[in-house]
Amino acid sequence: MQSGWVRRCSADGSDHYPRTDPAVIMTVVDDDDRLLLGSSARWPAGRYSTLAGFVEPGESLEATVRREVREEVGVEIGDVAYLGSQPWPFPASIMLGFVAQALTTEVHVDGEEIAAARWFTRDELAESVAAREVLLSPRLSISRALVEHWYGGRIDDGGDTWR
């Protein structure tokens, strides 16, 4: 209803307005200008994306970026800069995109949320995508926009993104 701003229950006619739970999503870049991507423990092999996580009550967005990266892959973060956002009103979140500067590069995945993570140069990422060893998120996602922002343009995947 109302152009997507509300849902009306078909059983009782009540209106339901979406919550907006903030979540951060970030590219992590090291001093050698490599990009860190992770693979969720719930995904098939080869799916890689930027790291992300929900903001906890009373936590700043920058602190969330640092905490999520440290928890998921064990990398410490310095500077954090906002790049953009993508709303997801149903299921109730807004993705706030950042670029984060890594202070450390040794990766220790948590094994629960993240099963694998690795650093990529631009050439390594392009080659891995072309060989279909790495599948990136769809173009409509902020994750893809953040990756291509770091890359400096579109990454040709032949339309073969994960779904």
Side-chain angles (χ1 to χ4, degrees):
M1 304 291 303
Q2 298 179 15
S3 301
W5 290 103
V6 65
R7 282 189 173 174
R8 180 156 295 143
C9 179
S10 59
D12 67 11
S14 62
D15 289 340
H16 297 267
Y17 295 87
R19 297 171 34 139
T20 302
D21 296 328
V24 297
I25 185 165
M26 64 295 266
T27 49
V28 176
V29 180
D30 72 3
D31 286 340
D32 293 327
D33 202 27
R34 296 181 304 163
L35 176 69
L36 180 63
L37 296 178
S39 182
S40 172
R42 297 180 303 272
W43 295 343
R47 287 186 183 176
Y48 278 86
S49 186
T50 52
L51 302 176
F54 285 98
V55 179
E56 294 181 357
E59 187 176 42
S60 73
L61 300 175
E62 296 83 359
T64 303
V65 168
R66 291 182 182 101
R67 176 184 54 79
E68 285 291 340
V69 173
R70 184 176 51 255
E71 287 176 358
E72 292 181 355
V73 296
V75 172
E76 295 297 324
I77 298 298
D79 290 339
V80 174
Y82 175 76
L83 291 179
S85 65
Q86 182 174 34
W88 292 101
F90 294 102
S93 63
I94 183 165
M95 301 297 292
L96 303 158
F98 294 87
V99 60
Q101 185 64 42
L103 297 176
T104 62
T105 58
E106 191 169 335
V107 173
H108 301 283
V109 298
D110 67 7
E112 293 180 28
E113 287 187 63
I114 304 297
R118 62 182 273 209
W119 293 99
F120 292 89
T121 65
R122 285 172 182 78
D123 287 343
E124 289 168 342
L125 184 59
E127 290 167 9
S128 296
V129 169
R132 291 187 165 74
E133 296 166 356
V134 168
L135 298 175
L136 296 176
S137 54
R139 289 209 192 296
L140 62 87
S141 71
I142 190 170
S143 174
R144 182 63 170 258
L146 292 170
V147 170
E148 289 184 341
H149 176 268
W150 164 81
Y151 188 75
R154 284 178 66 113
I155 299 171
D156 183 18
D157 61 8
D160 192 19
T161 60
W162 55 269
R163 303 202 193 324

